[in-house]
Amino acid sequence: MISARVQLLLASWFCVCSAEDYFLDDLIGLGRRFDGIGGLSGGGATSRLLINYKEPYRSQILDYLFKPNFGASLHILKVEIGGDAQTTDGTEPSHMHSEKDENYFRGYEWWLMKEAKKRNPNITLIGLPWAFPGWIGNGTNWPYTFPDITANYVVSWVIGAKHYHDLDIEYIGVLRDALDRAGLKDVSIIAADGNWDISNALLTDPYLNEAVGVIGVHYPGTTTVKEALLTGKRLWSSEDYSTFNNDIGAGCWARILNQNYINGRMTSTISWNLIASYYEDLSFGGDGLMTAEEPWSGNYVVESPIWITAHTTQFTQPGWTYLDTVGHLAQGGSYVALTDGKGNLTVVIETMSHNHSQCIRPALPPYSVSPQTATFRLKGSFAALTELQQWYTKFDFETKKDVLFKKTNSIKIQNGYFNLTLDVDEVYTITSVSGGQKGLYPDPPISAPFPRKYFDDFNVRNPPFSEAPYFADQTGVFEYFNNLTDPGPHAFTLRQVVTQRPVTWAYDADQTISVVGDHNWQDLTVSCDIYIENMNGGVFIAARVDQAGESVKNAMGVFFWVFANGTYKVTNDIGGKKVLAEGLSGTQPGIWHTLTLTVKGYFAFGMMNGYPLWKNAVVLQPKNGWAAIGTHTYEFAQFDNFLVNAETDLH
């Protein structure tokens, strides 16, 4: 009996597959201007661990993302304007924790934009707020009650990017008047970074229509609406993909990069997220164009979506133009063709099957793909071409022996046409552009779990970043703090600085928390010096914290709390409702104390200042999770000399 695979090969060899003609012609008219392919850092904290990589691995990762003609060679970098709030996988710090506070060196997005710009001076930079510090809402969970305040807050970020980092932000989500008053007439507005609904408003409101430069949508499923097309605006998929970076994720990415234009006339597609550089057990772990989630080992993985991106980005540039002669292939799949207007031509073809190209969202309607022969006929200014370069990717879901972004034999043009025999789950780039490269560095170090024993005294005099290594803030923001009033052993600490609930769409906990370590940890000891600043405040250290990200409000674990009123409490949940033990601790505000929490099997023990405070609290669930620190409310508090010693884990 002949296998399905052999049947496909026979169909290809004997041309049982159908043959169709496709015309590549620039004289009958051109399509829309191509605006580029990009990645999104943020929404939220998705590049958190990248900054903690040591050289040369950090620079290698950045090269794979941004260096032209090397890897993904991205045209666009979109970043979150930090809002001190949980926005999927963590919080990113705001440049204005309060109305009178401004600091344009917090967080890592400034650094990331500069590194991207260093590699590609022409990269387009975009900023968008996912959330806002609490003062923007003025007591509400809505950022637009006072639109001028919100607009000026975002404009200040754009100005700070230029003034302090020499970064030109080209696109933003904010009010036009505020940009113009600040002299930022060249900054264009993307609206509304949601669905297509704004299209109707643009058609009926001349002022709004004049203000908006680009209609940006999230996860459009490659389709648009007629009202959007009627506006004449540029259409972008300003957040898309959101899929694990395995081969099916790469198939999703290949399909939408072509079909966002073919079906929806969208001229830019931006991947959420840029890079899976956050703890894998957070929301959407393993998403992104590549993986870099182990700065402690130096290991990273150049995943297949990087090379799918290269099929387009290494052979086109923003400012090129789509041909009108693009579309779907007769037996499934699609092709786009672009030109620089100077005679260069790039054609990208994908034949991804339905089951091998499903994105996480939205649902993908049924369709079929089968082997086929395609004849491409060159017309107009392309008729003079005699040879084209060919780059090839094949996903083999049976043998797992993929071919990724391989340069193959060039194609000779005969009588103005060339033939391609196309199989299922393939991607081709056929181009007149030379200089493409499958960049390569020596293999990074092998993967390794987070160190079982980890210590940080936070003694960094001039920290390059505001965050301590590996700490992933989930509610609140924990920053390096130089305590000028205490030149003693606690002169340099980690401080929780958010004192007001932020304005956010996600579910921040009522308590602040930052997780660290390995989600597989089981039996461990956590120790930390703590300093309560609020007269009514409290802090905790924790072990086996099982949830974070958008689910942080429901986190379970072992939470050891002490309060300014001289009491302690041990709870099985971050909300403090499942009490395991409680009593007097003698803690006071304004005094340093050392807390130690040990969890072994089904029992937990706690010490303060080296003396047992409680013991044998019964812990049935969870059986594993991160270590953590945090505060009882949104309040100032400090942490120092953090130590974890994990004895067992699930590895």
mmCIF file of all heavy atoms in Angstrom, residues 81-103:
data_model
loop_
_atom_site.group_PDB
_atom_site.id
_atom_site.type_symbol
_atom_site.label_atom_id
_atom_site.label_comp_id
_atom_site.label_asym_id
_atom_site.label_seq_id
_atom_site.Cartn_x
_atom_site.Cartn_y
_atom_site.Cartn_z
ATOM 1 N N ILE A 81 4.970 51.440 26.418
ATOM 2 C CA ILE A 81 5.238 52.563 27.315
ATOM 3 C C ILE A 81 4.799 52.103 28.694
ATOM 4 O O ILE A 81 3.605 51.995 28.974
ATOM 5 C CB ILE A 81 4.473 53.823 26.881
ATOM 6 C CG1 ILE A 81 4.880 54.227 25.470
ATOM 7 C CG2 ILE A 81 4.711 54.964 27.858
ATOM 8 C CD1 ILE A 81 4.073 55.385 24.904
ATOM 9 N N GLY A 82 5.756 51.771 29.539
ATOM 10 C CA GLY A 82 5.446 51.148 30.820
ATOM 11 C C GLY A 82 4.437 51.938 31.628
ATOM 12 O O GLY A 82 4.483 53.165 31.682
ATOM 13 N N GLY A 83 3.526 51.201 32.278
ATOM 14 C CA GLY A 83 2.471 51.843 33.057
ATOM 15 C C GLY A 83 2.374 51.364 34.487
ATOM 16 O O GLY A 83 1.345 51.563 35.134
ATOM 17 N N ASP A 84 3.443 50.711 35.016
ATOM 18 C CA ASP A 84 3.454 50.221 36.398
ATOM 19 C C ASP A 84 2.391 49.160 36.645
ATOM 20 O O ASP A 84 1.954 48.969 37.785
ATOM 21 C CB ASP A 84 3.254 51.369 37.406
ATOM 22 C CG ASP A 84 4.417 52.349 37.440
ATOM 23 O OD1 ASP A 84 5.499 51.986 36.949
ATOM 24 O OD2 ASP A 84 4.239 53.469 37.952
ATOM 25 N N ALA A 85 1.942 48.454 35.606
ATOM 26 C CA ALA A 85 0.803 47.559 35.757
ATOM 27 C C ALA A 85 1.037 46.240 35.034
ATOM 28 O O ALA A 85 1.785 46.168 34.057
ATOM 29 C CB ALA A 85 -0.466 48.220 35.224
ATOM 30 N N GLN A 86 0.370 45.209 35.512
ATOM 31 C CA GLN A 86 0.366 43.906 34.859
ATOM 32 C C GLN A 86 -0.314 44.013 33.491
ATOM 33 O O GLN A 86 -1.446 44.469 33.382
ATOM 34 C CB GLN A 86 -0.391 42.908 35.729
ATOM 35 C CG GLN A 86 -0.646 41.563 35.108
ATOM 36 C CD GLN A 86 0.618 40.794 34.808
ATOM 37 O OE1 GLN A 86 0.947 40.559 33.635
ATOM 38 N NE2 GLN A 86 1.346 40.424 35.844
ATOM 39 N N THR A 87 0.405 43.596 32.437
ATOM 40 C CA THR A 87 -0.181 43.680 31.096
ATOM 41 C C THR A 87 -0.021 42.389 30.295
ATOM 42 O O THR A 87 -0.122 42.430 29.079
ATOM 43 C CB THR A 87 0.413 44.869 30.303
ATOM 44 O OG1 THR A 87 1.838 44.772 30.278
ATOM 45 C CG2 THR A 87 -0.010 46.193 30.908
ATOM 46 N N THR A 88 0.230 41.294 30.923
ATOM 47 C CA THR A 88 0.181 39.921 30.415
ATOM 48 C C THR A 88 1.157 39.036 31.166
ATOM 49 O O THR A 88 0.768 38.056 31.784
ATOM 50 C CB THR A 88 0.449 39.784 28.909
ATOM 51 O OG1 THR A 88 -0.539 40.495 28.177
ATOM 52 C CG2 THR A 88 0.367 38.315 28.482
ATOM 53 N N ASP A 89 2.457 39.355 31.106
ATOM 54 C CA ASP A 89 3.463 38.531 31.767
ATOM 55 C C ASP A 89 4.230 39.289 32.848
ATOM 56 O O ASP A 89 5.201 38.765 33.389
ATOM 57 C CB ASP A 89 4.451 37.984 30.741
ATOM 58 C CG ASP A 89 3.805 36.948 29.845
ATOM 59 O OD1 ASP A 89 3.394 35.902 30.370
ATOM 60 O OD2 ASP A 89 3.674 37.190 28.635
ATOM 61 N N GLY A 90 3.816 40.494 33.138
ATOM 62 C CA GLY A 90 4.485 41.259 34.166
ATOM 63 C C GLY A 90 4.252 42.746 33.998
ATOM 64 O O GLY A 90 3.528 43.191 33.099
ATOM 65 N N THR A 91 4.864 43.521 34.878
ATOM 66 C CA THR A 91 4.748 44.969 34.843
ATOM 67 C C THR A 91 6.012 45.582 34.261
ATOM 68 O O THR A 91 7.110 45.045 34.413
ATOM 69 C CB THR A 91 4.525 45.549 36.248
ATOM 70 O OG1 THR A 91 5.693 45.307 37.047
ATOM 71 C CG2 THR A 91 3.334 44.917 36.917
ATOM 72 N N GLU A 92 5.839 46.718 33.578
ATOM 73 C CA GLU A 92 6.972 47.515 33.121
ATOM 74 C C GLU A 92 6.859 48.887 33.759
ATOM 75 O O GLU A 92 5.766 49.469 33.812
ATOM 76 C CB GLU A 92 6.981 47.614 31.598
ATOM 77 C CG GLU A 92 7.127 46.257 30.940
ATOM 78 C CD GLU A 92 7.604 46.333 29.500
ATOM 79 O OE1 GLU A 92 8.340 47.288 29.162
ATOM 80 O OE2 GLU A 92 7.239 45.439 28.714
ATOM 81 N N PRO A 93 7.973 49.426 34.261
ATOM 82 C CA PRO A 93 7.902 50.671 35.027
ATOM 83 C C PRO A 93 7.569 51.877 34.161
ATOM 84 O O PRO A 93 8.010 51.995 33.021
ATOM 85 C CB PRO A 93 9.309 50.798 35.618
ATOM 86 C CG PRO A 93 10.183 50.018 34.698
ATOM 87 C CD PRO A 93 9.336 48.886 34.197
ATOM 88 N N SER A 94 6.787 52.776 34.735
ATOM 89 C CA SER A 94 6.436 54.025 34.067
ATOM 90 C C SER A 94 7.561 55.037 34.212
ATOM 91 O O SER A 94 8.316 55.025 35.189
ATOM 92 C CB SER A 94 5.154 54.596 34.667
ATOM 93 O OG SER A 94 4.926 55.904 34.190
ATOM 94 N N HIS A 95 7.649 55.950 33.243
ATOM 95 C CA HIS A 95 8.584 57.069 33.355
ATOM 96 C C HIS A 95 8.055 58.131 34.314
ATOM 97 O O HIS A 95 8.773 59.064 34.669
ATOM 98 C CB HIS A 95 8.845 57.693 31.985
ATOM 99 C CG HIS A 95 7.616 58.243 31.325
ATOM 100 N ND1 HIS A 95 6.610 57.444 30.829
ATOM 101 C CD2 HIS A 95 7.210 59.523 31.077
ATOM 102 C CE1 HIS A 95 5.647 58.188 30.312
ATOM 103 N NE2 HIS A 95 5.992 59.457 30.442
ATOM 104 N N MET A 96 6.786 57.965 34.755
ATOM 105 C CA MET A 96 6.178 58.907 35.702
ATOM 106 C C MET A 96 5.338 58.115 36.705
ATOM 107 O O MET A 96 4.153 57.892 36.503
ATOM 108 C CB MET A 96 5.312 59.938 34.968
ATOM 109 C CG MET A 96 6.072 60.846 34.021
ATOM 110 S SD MET A 96 4.996 62.057 33.181
ATOM 111 C CE MET A 96 4.576 63.142 34.556
ATOM 112 N N HIS A 97 5.979 57.674 37.793
ATOM 113 C CA HIS A 97 5.222 56.976 38.835
ATOM 114 C C HIS A 97 4.151 57.885 39.446
ATOM 115 O O HIS A 97 3.121 57.413 39.916
ATOM 116 C CB HIS A 97 6.151 56.500 39.950
ATOM 117 C CG HIS A 97 7.088 55.405 39.540
ATOM 118 N ND1 HIS A 97 6.716 54.347 38.742
ATOM 119 C CD2 HIS A 97 8.407 55.206 39.843
ATOM 120 C CE1 HIS A 97 7.758 53.541 38.569
ATOM 121 N NE2 HIS A 97 8.786 54.042 39.220
ATOM 122 N N SER A 98 4.425 59.182 39.459
ATOM 123 C CA SER A 98 3.471 60.162 39.977
ATOM 124 C C SER A 98 3.499 61.381 39.062
ATOM 125 O O SER A 98 4.348 61.494 38.172
ATOM 126 C CB SER A 98 3.807 60.569 41.411
ATOM 127 O OG SER A 98 5.057 61.248 41.454
ATOM 128 N N GLU A 99 2.576 62.296 39.299
ATOM 129 C CA GLU A 99 2.432 63.452 38.409
ATOM 130 C C GLU A 99 3.672 64.327 38.385
ATOM 131 O O GLU A 99 3.983 64.962 37.371
ATOM 132 C CB GLU A 99 1.217 64.264 38.844
ATOM 133 C CG GLU A 99 0.787 65.317 37.848
ATOM 134 C CD GLU A 99 -0.564 65.912 38.180
ATOM 135 O OE1 GLU A 99 -1.129 65.536 39.225
ATOM 136 O OE2 GLU A 99 -1.054 66.737 37.391
ATOM 137 N N LYS A 100 4.422 64.370 39.490
ATOM 138 C CA LYS A 100 5.597 65.233 39.569
ATOM 139 C C LYS A 100 6.897 64.461 39.403
ATOM 140 O O LYS A 100 7.981 65.026 39.598
ATOM 141 C CB LYS A 100 5.594 65.982 40.897
ATOM 142 C CG LYS A 100 4.414 66.940 41.053
ATOM 143 C CD LYS A 100 4.477 67.702 42.366
ATOM 144 C CE LYS A 100 3.298 68.664 42.497
ATOM 145 N NZ LYS A 100 3.329 69.413 43.787
ATOM 146 N N ASP A 101 6.795 63.207 39.049
ATOM 147 C CA ASP A 101 7.968 62.346 38.920
ATOM 148 C C ASP A 101 8.252 62.097 37.443
ATOM 149 O O ASP A 101 7.350 61.739 36.690
ATOM 150 C CB ASP A 101 7.702 61.015 39.627
ATOM 151 C CG ASP A 101 8.700 59.947 39.230
ATOM 152 O OD1 ASP A 101 9.876 60.099 39.567
ATOM 153 O OD2 ASP A 101 8.292 58.959 38.574
ATOM 154 N N GLU A 102 9.486 62.295 37.015
ATOM 155 C CA GLU A 102 9.894 61.961 35.654
ATOM 156 C C GLU A 102 11.274 61.320 35.692
ATOM 157 O O GLU A 102 12.207 61.875 36.259
ATOM 158 C CB GLU A 102 9.928 63.200 34.752
ATOM 159 C CG GLU A 102 8.565 63.759 34.401
ATOM 160 C CD GLU A 102 8.642 64.869 33.356
ATOM 161 O OE1 GLU A 102 9.051 64.576 32.216
ATOM 162 O OE2 GLU A 102 8.314 66.012 33.702
ATOM 163 N N ASN A 103 11.368 60.140 35.071
ATOM 164 C CA ASN A 103 12.643 59.439 34.999
ATOM 165 C C ASN A 103 12.649 58.617 33.719
ATOM 166 O O ASN A 103 11.847 57.687 33.565
ATOM 167 C CB ASN A 103 12.825 58.531 36.223
ATOM 168 C CG ASN A 103 14.189 57.875 36.258
ATOM 169 O OD1 ASN A 103 14.736 57.482 35.239
ATOM 170 N ND2 ASN A 103 14.743 57.740 37.453
#
